[in-house]
């Protein structure tokens, strides 16, 4: 009842929500197993079954009039639960162990410090929007939202790369093949940076499509710093993957908490003084700080030559991208530059 009063949802929807959370955990475990064994076909039956069963159940519930208003929500929860139960059974069967006290103790000691770590990462991602919504003009959050939509193209590319790269990374770290890791990450970083610069150059056209109203045009200037933030958010995931394997999770969590606190202290005055544009640049600086702090933490443990990212190249990238983000759109307003960007390629 207390949870119901807090969320404003009835009991049956709360139960469905917890069933959905449990199903998501099972599907995540199935996908992680398939990814680490480089066998995507192992996760396909569970995902495909849930995806096909959900609309069929939703159609039946809505057309029958049983749950016309909530049919699609109930159908999605029921479908995922029905598929998650046998998937969970198969996971336990393949693991051949239902409960191992020693493993649970080890994993809990490792995982508990990560709760504040992920909470701090959530703060880094959302504090800019919170401050803009609280202290800036009513339409500023909408302008920032359109710019964020464009910038999210980089995390999509990064997530696709990480899906295949992360298992390979952990295997190479376990074998202490850090030189090979750095060679591959250098190539990946070049691909991401090139993609980001290309997106920055053509973002005015995309922004005009997403927000054709003249009142939203100012939000274009927040796109470049948010894309820079996305670059360093991706670079952080590479460093974090090695950090979580080689460094105590308590130190990783403490480093992230310090960066989140610095982000709040940096974003608040920037938002108050420069509005949503100041928040965007503060977000970019915060992710640069996050990547640098975790890289230094890993360098202390493994040595600078054994980190997946070159500290000097990362610093150079940061020092070049932020000024470029600041001046990009002023250059694009020149007719000659606009012509070259649109027609020469």
């Amino acid at each position: 009842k207390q949870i119901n009063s807090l969320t404003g949802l009835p009991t049956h929807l709360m139960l469905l929500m917890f069933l959905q959370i449990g199903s998501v955990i099972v599907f995540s475990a199935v996908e992680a197993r398939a990814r680490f064994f480089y066998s995507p076909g192992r996760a396909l039956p569970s995902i495909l079954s849930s995806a096909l069963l959900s609309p069929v159940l939703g159609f039946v519930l809505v057309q029958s009039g049983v749950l016309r208003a909530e049919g699609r929500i109930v159908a999605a929860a029921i479908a995922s639960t029905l598929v998650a139960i046998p998937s969970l059974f198969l996971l336990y069967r393949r693991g051949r162990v239902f409960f191992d006290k020693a493993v649970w103790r080890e994993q809990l000691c490792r995982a508990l410090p990560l709760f504040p770590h992920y909470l701090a990462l959530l703060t880094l991602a959302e504090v800019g929007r919170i401050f803009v919504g609280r202290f800036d003009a009513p339409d500023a959050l909408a302008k920032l939202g359109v710019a964020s939509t464009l910038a999210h193209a980089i995390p999509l590319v990064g997530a696709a790369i990480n899906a295949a790269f992360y298992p390979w990374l952990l295997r190479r770290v376990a074998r202490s093949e850090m030189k090979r890791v750095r060679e591959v990450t250098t190539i990946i970083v070049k691909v991401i940076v090139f993609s980001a610069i290309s997106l920055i150059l053509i973002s005015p056209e995309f922004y005009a499509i997403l927000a054709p109203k003249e009142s939203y045009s100012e939000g274009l200037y927040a796109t470049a710093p948010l894309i820079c933030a996305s670059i360093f958010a991706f670079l952080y995931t590479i460093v974090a993957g090695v950090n979580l394997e080689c460094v105590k999770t308590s130190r990783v969590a403490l480093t992230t908490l310090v960066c989140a606190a610095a982000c709040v202290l940096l974003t608040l005055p920037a938002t108050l003084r420069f509005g949503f544009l100041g928040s965007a640049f503060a977000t970019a600086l915060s992710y640069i700080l996050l990547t640098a702090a975790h890289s230094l933490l890993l360098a202390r443990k493994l040595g600078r030559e054994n980190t997946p990212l070159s500290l000097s190249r990362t610093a150079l990238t940061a020092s070049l991208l932020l000024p470029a983000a600041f001046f990009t759109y002023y250059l694009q307003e020149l007719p000659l530059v606009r012509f070259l960007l649109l027609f020469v390629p």
Side-chain angles (χ1 to χ4, degrees):
K1 291 182 178 180
Q2 292 178 350
I3 296 178
N4 290 355
S5 62
L6 180 65
T7 59
L9 297 175
T11 302
H12 69 282
L13 287 182
M14 290 301 304
L15 291 175
L16 289 173
M17 184 188 74
F18 284 111
L19 286 175
Q20 187 77 9
I21 292 173
S23 302
V24 169
I25 294 174
V26 174
F27 289 143
S28 298
V30 172
E31 292 175 9
R33 178 183 173 86
R35 185 168 66 250
F36 275 80
F37 282 102
Y38 287 102
S39 302
R42 297 185 181 186
L44 186 61
S46 299
I47 298 172
L48 189 61
S49 300
S50 178
L52 293 177
L53 186 58
S54 177
V56 173
L57 284 177
F59 179 80
V60 172
L61 291 175
V62 172
Q63 293 299 319
S64 63
V66 179
L67 291 170
R68 188 175 296 275
E70 304 164 352
R72 295 182 64 184
I73 299 174
V74 174
I78 293 176
S80 59
T81 302
L82 290 176
V83 177
I85 290 174
S87 300
L88 180 62
F89 173 76
L90 290 175
L91 283 175
Y92 279 123
R93 184 180 177 184
R94 289 168 181 166
R96 299 179 182 178
V97 177
F98 184 77
F99 179 78
D100 190 317
K101 185 177 179 180
V103 172
W104 273 83
R105 184 189 300 113
E106 179 186 353
Q107 292 303 316
L108 281 176
C109 292
R110 175 183 174 82
L112 285 177
L114 294 180
F115 282 102
H117 165 72
Y118 288 114
L119 183 62
L121 289 179
L122 182 62
T123 302
L124 275 164
E126 299 296 333
V127 70
R129 294 174 186 168
I130 294 173
F131 285 157
V132 169
R134 178 67 177 84
F135 299 111
D136 206 352
D139 62 342
L141 194 58
K143 298 175 183 177
L144 188 67
V146 178
S148 298
T149 302
L150 281 173
H152 282 166
I154 300 302
L156 289 177
V157 175
I161 293 174
N162 271 337
F165 174 68
Y166 193 66
W168 179 89
L169 173 67
L170 294 185
R171 289 193 179 99
R172 291 297 182 273
V173 171
R175 299 172 188 170
S176 300
E177 299 178 0
M178 298 306 299
K179 184 178 180 181
R180 177 58 179 162
V181 168
R182 177 172 284 197
E183 292 174 356
V184 175
T185 53
T186 300
I187 297 173
I188 292 175
V189 169
K190 289 179 180 178
V191 171
I192 291 293
V193 171
F194 176 78
S195 303
I197 293 175
S198 302
L199 181 60
I200 290 174
L201 293 176
I202 64 175
S203 59
E205 281 65 43
F206 286 115
Y207 196 93
I209 295 173
L210 294 174
K213 291 185 178 180
E214 187 68 25
S215 58
Y216 285 87
S217 60
E218 291 180 356
L220 175 63
Y221 296 97
T223 305
L226 289 178
I227 291 175
C228 292
S230 298
I231 294 173
F232 284 92
F234 171 75
L235 297 182
Y236 160 75
T237 60
I238 296 177
V239 179
V242 184
N243 252 345
L244 293 175
E245 293 297 318
C246 301
V247 182
K248 290 183 178 180
T249 52
S250 58
R251 294 182 180 178
V252 174
L254 180 61
T255 303
T256 310
L257 284 170
V258 172
C259 292
C263 175
V264 173
L265 295 175
L266 181 64
T267 306
L268 180 57
T271 305
L272 292 173
R273 179 65 179 85
F274 300 104
F276 70 92
L277 187 59
S279 173
F281 275 95
T283 301
L285 287 172
S286 299
Y287 276 103
I288 291 173
L289 175 63
L290 178 72
T291 305
H294 281 274
S295 298
L296 291 173
L297 181 65
L298 187 60
R300 288 189 60 186
K301 179 70 175 180
L302 301 179
R304 292 184 60 179
E305 68 280 357
N306 291 323
T307 55
L309 297 176
S310 170
L311 297 179
S312 58
R313 290 181 181 178
T314 303
L316 179 63
T317 302
S319 62
L320 292 178
L321 279 177
L322 275 181
F326 185 78
F327 290 108
T328 293
Y329 296 116
Y330 294 99
L331 291 175
Q332 287 182 337
E333 291 177 357
L334 298 175
L336 178 60
V337 175
R338 302 291 297 153
F339 176 81
L340 292 175
L341 289 175
L342 288 174
F343 296 104
V344 170

